[in-house]
Amino acid sequence: MRWFGGFTPGGPTRSPEGARLIWSDPPLWAAGDWPERYVRTAEGNGRRLAVFGPCAASSHDLDRALYEPGPFGAGRMWSGSYAVVRQGQSGDTEIFTDPASALPLYTTRFQGGTAWGSSSRALAALGSGGIDTAWMAAFLLDRQNPAPRRSAWAGVAPVPAGSRLLLKTTGSASVTSWWSPSRRSYEEVVPLVAEALHEGVRARVEGVKVSSDVAGIDSTTMAVLAAQHGLVLGLTAHPDGVTEGGDMRYARQVPGLDHAEFPLRRSHLPFTPADLELPATDGPAPSSGLWASFSGQLLAVADRGSFCHLTGDGGDNLFLSPPVHLADLARSGRWVRMGRDALEWSQLRRESPWPLVKAALSGSVARLHRPWMTRPQWLTAPTAEPVTPPRDADAVLIADLRGAARAAAADVELAAALGLELANPYFDGALLDAVVSVPAEDRFSVRRYKPLLVDAVGGHLPEAHRTRVAKGVFAGDFHRGVRMNLPYLLTLADGRLAAAGLIDPGPLRAALHGVALGARAVWPPLLAALTAEMWLSAVESEKPVRWSPAREETR
């Protein structure tokens, strides 16, 4: 298990067993197998700095950051997904979280001080180690944005993304924001997006053997950018026996890759038990129900020598905007543009534009964003901590990306349990900073597919990929997976969530029977319940992290 953390200056001298001490007084440690390039330090004039995670900063950048008021020595955000820890001459410690929440940090109170770290499960072992049922109820309602001031573990709180956690020698801890969206023109942002993607990929792939998904435009972009630094193994999944068309046709047009194909067999259908047990993670992992195919694909590239596997996760969140900007246009009185975009979107979806117009005029961003969002019938637990809905298109983009990035951190843990580094450059803070600075109406288009991404890096892609407007989907596989594994899934419905009084298993079983018969399903709440149950089983069988008094020697 790979993570890092520390304590309040002057607080308890504790560390997780087996951790490597980066510095002491206060202790800062790295637990697990960390590549040297992902733990970088700088020192000077009584100041210390450490950067954890993939980061494109140079050594000169780190030296400058020792003295800057913010987290970055060059004044502009470095590419990558990382956290910055800095200790000043006074002994106070600052921890800067990334804006996209791809590397979540947490805190908990312990023996009168504050412990912090990148693993909520590890910090929970300092206390009761129990599950936070209020967070779980919120997750079952909305797995994308559950209880923002809670984690899956009781007594462990998340540090907000884009924040500065200040731990003072007096023992106090405070959190302030260091990042907020800015505004730039489309023309200004195109080269920034290109730089963020190039540098984010470089920070992960230089000097190591790399593989990448090659399917839609997002993952293919990762593959071709990584190929600028060495040979890339490009993996494309396809239904067993179907080797033409779909993603396969596009993947074979990408030059310069070592192409590999992964046939998805019956044993890889969603919810099919895998040969390997699902590892315990900080929270429910999105790929839990796909563990048979997910682990199979990761092991396939690892067997070919890959150390780092790139994905296109997050590309849709950044570059495929839903029509939430219609409410912004209505609010500012730009009726002609609002009407035109609503009509074009409705024509694309072959539906009436009037629900869109009504939602825009009433300012209902939520209905424009996720109109299917309702409370599932099986959720019985109250959700006492309401989540403030996004107020505009920028807030929707930020919330969407952060929710996906936080969830993907658990998938990174799953891959790490197999000895493979899972890399998601679309969740980088510098990329979010660039994309969200473009006016929302300029990010939206029904005439072009992901225009900002194509304008930034499309020149590296074959023409067929630049003009592609869709990618392979596997919705039918989920129905077949439920049908084939229905007895197993019904036992999940009667499992730990039901025993805790969080759900009523009857409606959940009825929904599963309906899906098995081919009924149309609203998948997010159904997947939330199944994923949560799988996760509870995994953490129940895993031993908690053990803590010991911190060692006094430094690295």
Side-chain angles (χ1 to χ4, degrees):
M1 178 174 158
R2 190 169 82 183
W3 69 290
F4 62 93
F7 271 103
T8 312
T13 55
R14 303 265 291 183
S15 67
E17 286 192 354
R20 172 168 60 97
L21 206 61
I22 304 300
W23 66 57
S24 58
D25 189 31
L28 175 69
W29 62 78
D33 184 19
W34 281 87
E36 186 176 335
R37 62 202 175 102
Y38 285 177
V39 184
R40 301 170 61 194
T41 60
E43 282 190 65
N45 295 331
R47 303 170 186 267
R48 299 188 290 198
L49 179 138
V51 178
F52 293 90
C55 178
S58 66
S59 297
H60 177 65
D61 291 332
L62 300 189
D63 289 338
R64 288 187 58 185
L66 283 168
Y67 307 98
E68 297 288 330
F72 307 108
R76 201 172 80 192
M77 203 175 303
W78 306 320
S79 296
S81 294
Y82 51 86
V84 178
V85 184
R86 185 169 63 191
Q87 187 178 37
Q89 292 174 323
S90 66
D92 294 346
T93 300
E94 302 170 288
I95 301 103
F96 297 93
T97 62
D98 81 277
S101 205
L103 187 60
L105 297 184
Y106 306 88
T107 62
T108 190
R109 296 293 294 174
F110 180 74
Q111 294 184 357
T114 297
W116 66 272
S118 60
S119 171
S120 55
R121 182 164 67 97
L123 293 180
L126 288 170
S128 66
I131 304 299
D132 188 323
T133 55
W135 181 92
M136 182 59 73
F139 177 84
L140 295 172
L141 176 65
D142 182 2
R143 62 175 183 161
Q144 183 172 309
N145 290 300
R149 289 181 290 276
R150 295 177 177 269
S151 78
W153 300 89
V156 180
V159 182
S163 292
R164 168 183 177 255
L165 171 63
L166 176 62
L167 304 175
K168 299 183 73 66
T169 55
T170 59
S172 66
S174 61
V175 175
T176 55
S177 176
W178 71 261
W179 178 83
S180 61
S182 56
R183 184 61 73 212
R184 305 181 183 98
S185 70
Y186 189 93
E187 292 72 22
E188 289 178 287
V189 166
V190 168
L192 296 180
V193 169
E195 180 185 6
L197 285 170
H198 278 277
E199 289 296 288
V201 170
R202 180 188 64 80
R204 292 167 167 90
V205 307
E206 272 192 330
V208 299
K209 292 184 177 180
V210 178
S211 58
S212 176
D213 294 334
V214 181
I217 188 174
D218 302 321
S219 58
T220 304
T221 298
M222 293 293 100
V224 297
L225 294 181
Q228 297 177 9
H229 304 278
L231 183 63
V232 173
L233 175 65
L235 184 72
T236 303
H238 62 89
D240 191 23
V242 181
T243 58
E244 301 295 333
D247 288 340
M248 297 302 302
R249 178 169 72 89
Y250 288 93
R252 289 169 181 160
Q253 297 182 48
V254 183
L257 304 181
D258 180 11
H259 289 278
E261 300 175 3
F262 187 86
L264 295 169
R265 301 187 172 92
R266 182 180 176 89
S267 59
H268 297 126
L269 282 173
F271 315 115
T272 301
D275 294 335
L276 297 172
E277 288 190 4
L278 183 71
T281 53
D282 273 5
S287 294
S288 298
L290 301 170
W291 180 235
S293 62
F294 186 61
S295 61
Q297 292 178 62
L298 293 180
L299 289 173
V301 295
D303 287 344
R304 295 277 295 269
S306 176
F307 172 82
C308 172
H309 186 74
L310 294 159
T311 85
D313 288 355
D316 285 349
N317 303 92
L318 278 175
F319 298 112
L320 196 60
S321 300
V324 290
H325 73 292
L326 297 179
D328 297 353
L329 294 173
R331 195 179 301 116
S332 60
R334 299 175 63 187
W335 313 113
V336 174
R337 174 67 191 269
M338 183 206 72
R340 188 189 73 194
D341 285 2
L343 181 61
E344 290 180 345
W345 179 265
S346 65
Q347 290 173 340
L348 180 68
R349 296 299 181 94
R350 297 181 181 179
E351 59 189 25
S352 170
W354 296 116
L356 293 175
V357 172
K358 182 178 179 181
L361 293 176
S362 65
S364 179
V365 173
R367 275 192 289 167
L368 293 167
H369 180 211
R370 294 185 290 170
W372 46 263
M373 184 71 186
T374 57
R375 184 182 179 91
Q377 291 182 335
W378 51 82
L379 179 58
T380 57
T383 49
E385 186 177 2
V387 177
T388 303
R391 64 188 182 280
D392 55 32
D394 289 347
V396 165
L397 188 152
I398 294 169
D400 270 1
L401 191 77
R402 286 175 173 175
R406 281 192 302 269
D411 275 353
V412 172
E413 292 182 80
L414 293 182
L418 301 178
L420 193 68
E421 179 187 319
L422 193 69
N424 304 308
Y426 287 110
F427 292 134
D428 286 1
L431 189 55
L432 170 62
D433 182 74
V435 173
V436 78
S437 68
V438 176
E441 61 269 24
D442 293 340
R443 299 194 299 261
F444 175 86
S445 176
V446 296
R447 299 182 183 90
R448 298 180 62 201
Y449 186 68
K450 300 186 177 179
L452 183 52
L453 176 62
V454 173
D455 289 342
V457 294
H460 298 281
L461 297 169
E463 175 65 21
H465 286 269
R466 292 198 298 272
T467 57
R468 189 181 182 185
V469 296
K471 59 183 176 181
V473 294
F474 298 91
D477 289 347
F478 278 86
H479 281 274
R480 288 190 290 273
V482 170
R483 188 179 305 120
M484 189 179 82
N485 298 291
L486 185 59
Y488 163 62
L489 296 178
L490 293 176
T491 64
L492 293 183
D494 279 303
R496 296 162 182 80
L497 294 172
L502 293 170
I503 67 167
D504 178 355
L508 182 54
R509 288 197 302 267
L512 290 169
H513 279 291
V515 171
L517 293 172
R520 189 173 181 178
V522 179
W523 283 105
L526 188 61
L527 291 175
L530 297 175
T531 299
E533 190 66 41
M534 294 174 188
W535 176 71
L536 288 170
S537 176
V539 298
E540 189 176 89
S541 60
E542 186 82 5
K543 293 180 180 179
V545 174
R546 297 184 63 181
W547 290 77
S548 62
R551 294 171 294 164
E552 292 302 318
E553 71 270 15
T554 58
R555 186 175 60 169

